[in-house]
Amino acid sequence: MIFYARDGSSHSTLNVFLAGAGLMGSVMVSYTSARAESLIPKCDVGFLRRPERVVLLIIGALSTHPGSQNLLANRMPAVLWVLAIGSYWTFAHRMYHTWLEVNRQDAARALAVKNDTLSGRQERRVAPEPNFVNGANATQLSTKQAG
């Protein structure tokens, strides 16, 4: 962002915006994956996962030569476009995938409860176990310490 924001021959407000959008999109992709994996077993779908984003940035960084008008010598603007659009696409795809998986799990759970009810089985309720610490429960432990 600083490279394109500074005054000079490579100054480009559009590229500053694209770098910021790509940065936010990359963070959102990682965050979405982490949050989704707290609800579903695995969420590694999408077009631009972390390795692809790193490779894109390396290609853009190694092929950028300030002041060059050659299309092949200045690929960073194209990389920024792909990174910005692809990151948001991956973010949306992961959100949609998570939504589908959670709805599928809820439907399977509801079907299991319905089948249990229809077959006449009642839901068993298990009483919580007392909190034992080294063979004594918590109330016995507290009375021993107080006395």
Side-chain angles (χ1 to χ4, degrees):
M1 287 177 62
I2 295 171
F3 178 77
Y4 290 114
R6 64 187 177 151
D7 287 332
S9 63
S10 59
H11 174 73
S12 172
T13 306
L14 177 63
N15 288 343
V16 170
F17 170 75
L18 289 173
L23 178 68
M24 288 187 302
S26 293
V27 169
M28 287 182 1
V29 166
S30 297
Y31 180 75
T32 304
S33 179
R35 293 295 293 187
E37 287 176 357
S38 70
L39 299 172
I40 62 175
K42 197 72 174 157
C43 184
D44 60 352
V45 298
F47 175 65
L48 282 182
R49 295 181 305 218
R50 185 173 291 121
E52 289 87 357
R53 294 191 311 261
V54 169
V55 167
L56 274 172
L57 286 174
I58 290 171
I59 289 171
L62 292 178
S63 68
T64 299
H65 302 286
S68 176
Q69 297 301 322
N70 187 352
L71 180 63
L72 298 177
N74 192 14
R75 292 188 183 156
M76 188 54 93
V79 166
L80 291 175
W81 274 104
V82 171
L83 189 64
I85 293 170
S87 294
Y88 283 99
W89 182 266
T90 303
F91 163 73
H93 187 207
R94 286 187 179 187
M95 292 285 290
Y96 181 69
H97 173 75
T98 303
W99 179 71
L100 287 177
E101 287 297 312
V102 167
N103 284 342
R104 187 185 59 78
Q105 289 175 358
D106 288 346
R109 194 174 297 121
L111 183 63
V113 168
K114 181 180 177 182
N115 287 341
D116 287 347
T117 305
L118 290 177
S119 66
R121 290 186 290 188
Q122 295 294 323
E123 185 177 324
R124 286 187 345 181
R125 299 202 182 258
V126 178
E129 295 183 19
N131 184 13
F132 288 101
V133 178
N134 294 333
N137 69 21
T139 56
Q140 292 171 346
L141 187 61
S142 65
T143 57
K144 287 181 184 177
Q145 288 176 353

